[in-house]
Amino acid sequence: MTSTPDAASTDAASAARRLLIVGPPGAGKGTQAVRIAEELSIPAISTGDIFRANVSGRTELGVLAKSYMDKGEYVPDSVTNDMVRSRLAQEDARDGFLLDGYPRTLDQVEALDAVLEELGTSLDLVLLLVVEPEEVIGRLVARGAELGRSDDTEETIRHRLDVYAEQTAPLIDVYQRRGLVRRVDGMAAIDEVTASLREALAAR
Ligand code: AMP
């Protein structure tokens, strides 16, 4: 196939650029989100990172978020939804975004649908990283020691996995019914996972 500038721009226009990456804590979402977003020239938007930046900056939002994060609980939907709504309204997210760690509840799914509808757009794909829970615990304990994350202690990790199974895993069915989910083995080496994500995006 010859690649003319026109064909290239058509490809770029039709490529999946409004994306979610989902999976349990420790699945490698953050690492992969940054790589994929960079390749697609879209922002990787991690609600966890935004909360952590607010915790470090000791903002009002940070103080509130920390009280939930340290227990492995979700920050209330109203707070999280408002934060994402204003982030998605920023200029750099106009032509695409990769949301990492949002939505995490059914209420957040509805809020995201509403925001995207207001913006006149919709999701293209949901990338699901599939991992073994026990493997994830080992990874997170190691990360907690390395980065000093206060929510990466074994007890909090187990609670976060329970909260994920209870509140977030059901979202996969919702997106599955919409035909948006692409499953990728998250247990492989980092570069292999990135390659599989790339393939999933290309095969849309
Ligand atoms: P993460 O870095 O995505 O694992 O998020 C770390 C913590 O931030 C979570 O355990 C929650 O306390 C909070 N958080 C991040 N994203 C959300 C969200 N979408 N809804 C509620 N809380 C969130």
Side-chain angles (χ1 to χ4, degrees), residues 25-26 29 46-49 51-52 65 68-70 72-77 80 84 100-105 108 143 149 151 160:
K29 298 186 297 293
S46 154
T47 42
D49 280 353
F51 285 134
R52 279 185 289 279
Y68 293 94
M69 292 167 84
D70 281 352
E73 300 283 347
Y74 287 167
V75 177
D77 286 332
T80 311
V84 172
D100 157 18
Y102 181 94
R104 262 172 150 111
T105 65
Q108 293 179 15
R143 181 177 76 181
R149 260 183 68 162
D151 59 346
R160 282 161 61 207

Side-chain angles (χ1 to χ4, degrees), residues 113-128:
D113 285 345
V115 170
L116 295 179
E117 201 180 319
E118 277 167 34
L119 294 171
T121 186
S122 59
L123 285 177
D124 295 324
L125 275 189
V126 175
L127 301 165
L128 171 63

Side-chain angles (χ1 to χ4, degrees), residues 104-157:
R104 262 172 150 111
T105 65
L106 291 169
D107 183 273
Q108 293 179 15
V109 170
E110 283 173 22
L112 177 61
D113 285 345
V115 170
L116 295 179
E117 201 180 319
E118 277 167 34
L119 294 171
T121 186
S122 59
L123 285 177
D124 295 324
L125 275 189
V126 175
L127 301 165
L128 171 63
L129 289 179
V130 181
V131 292
E132 303 281 345
E134 283 304 316
E135 164 78 7
V136 155
I137 292 172
R139 283 188 190 181
L140 288 173
V141 170
R143 181 177 76 181
E146 210 176 291
L147 303 179
R149 260 183 68 162
S150 55
D151 59 346
D152 276 348
T153 62
E154 185 160 346
E155 195 191 340
T156 314
I157 291 163

Side-chain angles (χ1 to χ4, degrees), residues 31-191:
T31 306
Q32 298 296 340
V34 169
R35 290 176 164 212
I36 295 294
E38 191 176 332
E39 288 179 16
L40 296 174
S41 302
I42 54 176
I45 301 175
S46 154
T47 42
D49 280 353
I50 303 175
F51 285 134
R52 279 185 289 279
N54 277 276
V55 171
S56 304
R58 295 171 205 273
T59 66
E60 204 177 315
L61 173 63
V63 172
L64 175 87
K66 188 172 173 16
S67 65
Y68 293 94
M69 292 167 84
D70 281 352
K71 287 184 284 191
E73 300 283 347
Y74 287 167
V75 177
D77 286 332
S78 57
V79 174
T80 311
N81 289 335
D82 284 352
M83 185 175 90
V84 172
R85 171 183 295 272
S86 56
R87 181 63 188 86
L88 286 178
Q90 286 176 27
E91 181 64 26
D92 67 337
R94 210 184 54 188
D95 294 325
F97 52 79
L98 175 48
L99 276 170
D100 157 18
Y102 181 94
R104 262 172 150 111
T105 65
L106 291 169
D107 183 273
Q108 293 179 15
V109 170
E110 283 173 22
L112 177 61
D113 285 345
V115 170
L116 295 179
E117 201 180 319
E118 277 167 34
L119 294 171
T121 186
S122 59
L123 285 177
D124 295 324
L125 275 189
V126 175
L127 301 165
L128 171 63
L129 289 179
V130 181
V131 292
E132 303 281 345
E134 283 304 316
E135 164 78 7
V136 155
I137 292 172
R139 283 188 190 181
L140 288 173
V141 170
R143 181 177 76 181
E146 210 176 291
L147 303 179
R149 260 183 68 162
S150 55
D151 59 346
D152 276 348
T153 62
E154 185 160 346
E155 195 191 340
T156 314
I157 291 163
R158 289 194 183 273
H159 184 58
R160 282 161 61 207
L161 286 169
D162 288 344
V163 173
Y164 175 85
E166 211 176 279
Q167 299 198 47
T168 305
L171 272 52
I172 295 161
D173 291 340
V174 173
Y175 289 122
Q176 191 96 49
R177 283 197 290 274
R178 297 185 193 177
L180 293 176
V181 178
R182 298 293 178 275
R183 285 168 193 269
V184 165
D185 174 15
M187 302 296 289
I190 293 180
D191 287 347

